[in-house]
């Protein structure tokens, strides 16, 4: 265990991908895997996987591979998803409705607790298991409930303003679906859901066709 | 230029991120940047950026940095988004509607040309600039128009069946929003839009709090 060594961001970026693959294997009823097998599933070299995991201690036994439940447990601890994080969502349009019904958050450590919009036509209406709240209530809600994570699913034109509101309210991590780059002060984390990034990762490997 | 050297997948994965950052800089009216500045914006070391780009030839002049328009042009060529790729979308629910209206595809090299669903209530209805088509028309449409890319925005329970349909029809790249792992034959590319991966990349850096 080596908690003083600074782990590169790029390594941290791969841990959730390892965790997802391991959880898929666990769902398949598997107990043990290897860096070789993980690497084949993920298109990452086994040496890279072993090196990434070595930042956090000694997992597999030489020649024995990794015990899947143990590695899942440890990765959840490292990524701090051995607890559930409450999140808010701002934007109750089509995307907001899709996120309100998304089944993928809970098994991965996240719970959507409130949804906000600025449209008087929408405020007060049901969305999934929630009722759409006025975006003006964000600051109080965030402070009262100690919320640290916000998802932004508003049009590009409103995204910066909403991000500013979140930051002022004390939000510490933003997941944005808006196709613009947000200006966020240091100390606040931001990640983007950007389908074009994924599409471009595939076109590299494709032939120019019709 | 060294077209025989195999470029690691992980390097290819970073090129769209460089391209996006450069396009943001270009939109800000900037002409020149450096691996140092790019690295600071992206949280990637300047040495890594220089090494990644060096797979594709010699870009910046020593001490002069990169000319942004030239690097954008070259990255678009490498990622094959110096053309426009037609895509289809399967799933006309809330997420499908959001994707139908998404403004971020066209500037990045992609065009949504048709949207399909299996719900008789939806088929024939307008969605964005399109009319929802019967999912049964996917094979003919894909063949007739030489479509290579499909986005899947159907419930998890239907995603594998839809993916199989796409693969049989000749689709070569799938972007899936469904929170399940798809079984896809070799030779077909797949990427997942997975908000939990992004959320977990942030919780690592956060304190366990309320």
């Amino acid at each position: 265990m080596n908690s003083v060594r600074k782990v590169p961001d790029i390594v941290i970026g791969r841990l959730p991908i390892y965790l997802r693959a391991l959880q898929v294997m666990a769902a398949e009823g598997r107990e043990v895997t290897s860096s070789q097998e993980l690497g084949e599933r993920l298109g990452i070299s086994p040496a890279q996987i072993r090196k990434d995991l070595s930042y956090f201690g000694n997992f597999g036994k030489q020649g024995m591979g990794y015990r899947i439940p143990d590695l899942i447990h440890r990765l959840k601890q490292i990524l701090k998803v051995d607890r559930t994080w409450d999140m808010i969502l701002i934007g109750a349009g089509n995307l907001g409705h899709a996120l309100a019904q998304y089944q993928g958050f809970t098994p991965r450590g996240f719970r959507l607790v409130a949804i906000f919009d600025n449209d008087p036509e929408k405020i007060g209406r049901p969305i999934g298991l929630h009722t759409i709240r006025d975006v003006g209530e964000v600051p109080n809600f965030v402070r009262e409930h100690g919320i640290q994570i916000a998802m932004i699913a508003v049009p590009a034109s409103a995204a910066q303003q909403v991000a500013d509101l979140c930051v002022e309210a004390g939000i510490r991590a933003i997941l944005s679906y808006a196709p613009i780059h947000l200006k966020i002060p240091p100390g606040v984390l931001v990640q983007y859901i950007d389908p074009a990034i994924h599409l471009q990762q595939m076109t590299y490997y494709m032939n120019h066709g019709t």
Side-chain angles (χ1 to χ4, degrees), chain A residues 57-96:
Chain A
N58 192 7
F59 292 98
K61 288 191 187 114
Q62 191 65 41
M64 292 286 285
Y66 302 113
R67 284 217 3 103
I68 292 172
D70 297 351
L71 192 48
I72 288 175
H73 178 71
R74 189 69 188 99
L75 283 172
K76 281 185 169 179
Q77 285 183 326
I78 293 165
L79 293 169
K80 303 200 185 92
V81 288
D82 52 347
R83 53 161 284 178
T84 297
W85 295 83
D86 288 347
M87 305 186 292
I88 60 167
L89 165 64
I90 297 146
N94 287 313
L95 181 57

Side-chain angles (χ1 to χ4, degrees), chain A residues 76-88 105-106 108-114 145-151 172-173 189:
Chain A
K76 281 185 169 179
Q77 285 183 326
I78 293 165
L79 293 169
K80 303 200 185 92
V81 288
D82 52 347
R83 53 161 284 178
T84 297
W85 295 83
D86 288 347
M87 305 186 292
I88 60 167
F105 291 127
T106 317
R108 315 277 288 280
F110 302 94
R111 177 171 54 195
L112 188 55
V113 294
H145 296 84
I147 307 292
Q148 302 192 53
I149 303 177
M151 292 191 293
R172 300 197 43 237
L189 302 159

Side-chain angles (χ1 to χ4, degrees), chain A residues 126-142:
Chain A
I127 177 170
L129 300 169
H130 303 274
T131 299
I132 299 171
R133 297 165 190 256
D134 188 326
V135 71
E137 295 171 23
V138 165
N140 276 341
F141 189 93
V142 165

Side-chain angles (χ1 to χ4, degrees), chain A residues 182-194:
Chain A
L182 297 171
K183 290 181 191 69
I184 299 290
V188 177
L189 302 159
V190 62
Q191 292 254 336
Y192 300 92
I193 298 285
D194 183 343

Side-chain angles (χ1 to χ4, degrees), chain A residues 33-64:
Chain A
T33 186
S34 62
S35 55
Q36 187 69 38
E37 187 194 30
L38 262 178
E40 275 168 24
R41 285 213 183 194
L42 298 173
I44 299 173
S45 81
Q48 183 71 66
I49 292 172
R50 289 193 298 271
K51 193 179 162 206
D52 287 354
L53 294 177
S54 75
Y55 280 98
F56 304 97
N58 192 7
F59 292 98
K61 288 191 187 114
Q62 191 65 41
M64 292 286 285

